[in-house]
Amino acid sequence: DADVTQTPRNRITKTGKRIMLECSQTKGHDRMYWYRQDPGLGLRLIYYSFDVKDINKGEISDGYSVSRQAQAKFSLSLESAIPNQTALYFCATSDARGASGGYNEQFFGPGTRLTVL
Amino acid sequence: DQQVKQNSPSLSVQEGRISILNCDYTNSMFDYFLWYKKYPAEGPTFLISISSIKDKNEDGRFTVFLNKSAKHLSLHIVPSQPGDSAVYFCAASAGSSYKLIFGSGTRLLVRP
């Protein structure tokens, strides 16, 4: 079974709709992250959370919100989707204790491909 | 302004030869660097990393070299195999921030 799962894997929605992307992990990691990938731009950080009570904005948080429902769950919401939010979205986790094999090594989910029409 | 740059969007190499992927950075506060590999329809997976106190780290066929004065790192794959064909991302972090800054990626094709 995958350690980091994302649902849905693919989603097509319309401008103005609210949409939620969900991430779950079984790695027991404290830290969780949301990234988006656009062609030619690599991965950019949207939000990150170091524990259930901690939420931080990344470099491109405008138009997004997050919720850390539990240590294992971190969801990303688009309150009113717009076409330039069409992208590949990745959730990632890391171990705050650095015991997972590498300093700040992050483990990624399989991604959600979101299309906003 | 991109702090981590991968200037070659693609690279094609013959099987068995060396693949060299390059990465440049601008932030002198970066002290840890990672390479990730990504196959289509999958998330990036960690490949190899290096701390700024080292100039080389090796893991099997993969070696990462760091030149701090030039703010440059490279990933060497020897020998290259067709299964290495993927997109490779360079990433960097500074101190205890635990945030990764990614480059735009290089697509490697290893020809049989």
Side-chain angles (χ1 to χ4, degrees):
Chain A
D1 288 339
D3 295 318
V4 184
T5 57
Q6 293 184 234
T7 56
R9 292 295 312 275
N10 290 281
R11 180 71 183 267
I12 300 174
T13 191
K14 295 182 178 180
T15 297
K17 294 291 187 181
R18 184 180 189 276
I19 185 167
M20 180 182 288
L21 308 183
E22 298 187 351
C23 176
S24 295
Q25 54 114 345
T26 58
K27 300 188 75 66
H29 288 169
D30 293 320
R31 303 181 177 203
M32 298 187 74
Y33 311 79
W34 275 105
Y35 292 89
R36 66 177 276 177
Q37 183 191 359
D38 298 276
L41 291 178
L43 284 81
R44 292 181 294 165
L45 184 63
I46 306 171
Y47 270 96
Y48 62 103
S49 169
F50 284 178
D51 64 42
V52 175
K53 299 178 182 178
D54 176 78
I55 300 289
N56 304 280
K57 292 183 178 181
E59 55 181 311
I60 53 164
S61 59
D62 288 348
Y64 301 95
S65 62
V66 291
S67 174
R68 184 81 184 266
Q69 301 95 325
Q71 188 207 32
K73 295 184 182 295
F74 192 35
S75 60
L76 176 71
S77 294
L78 288 69
E79 296 301 325
S80 179
I82 55 177
N84 76 0
Q85 292 177 314
T86 293
L88 195 52
Y89 289 84
F90 290 103
C91 174
T93 74
S94 69
D95 188 343
R97 294 163 294 174
S100 59
Y103 177 84
N104 203 24
E105 175 187 346
Q106 293 183 16
F107 297 83
F108 285 81
T112 294
R113 183 169 296 281
L114 176 65
T115 303
V116 183
L117 302 176
Chain B
D1 184 30
Q2 282 189 295
Q3 298 183 67
V4 178
K5 298 179 182 180
Q6 294 178 256
N7 292 317
S8 298
S10 63
L11 175 68
S12 181
V13 171
Q14 192 74 37
E15 179 179 5
R17 306 295 288 267
I18 185 171
S19 295
I20 300 176
L21 294 91
N22 294 303
C23 179
D24 297 295
Y25 63 96
T26 57
N27 189 340
S28 58
M29 298 301 291
F30 288 148
D31 60 0
Y32 200 76
F33 304 89
L34 306 90
W35 284 94
Y36 280 81
K37 174 178 175 179
K38 183 184 180 304
Y39 293 118
E42 295 182 11
T45 55
F46 171 75
L47 187 58
I48 192 170
S49 61
I50 188 166
S51 165
S52 60
I53 63 174
K54 297 184 177 181
D55 55 18
K56 176 183 175 182
N57 188 28
E58 189 172 355
D59 183 2
R61 296 185 298 113
F62 302 91
T63 303
V64 56
F65 295 92
L66 176 62
N67 182 334
K68 290 188 293 293
S69 61
K71 293 189 176 67
H72 177 83
L73 64 156
S74 60
L75 174 68
H76 293 211
I77 307 173
V78 183
S80 301
Q81 299 174 353
D84 296 329
S85 296
V87 177
Y88 289 78
F89 291 100
C90 168
S93 68
S96 61
S97 72
Y98 292 96
K99 291 190 291 182
L100 293 181
I101 307 298
F102 283 84
S104 55
T106 296
R107 183 177 302 277
L108 173 66
L109 174 64
V110 180
R111 306 184 309 274

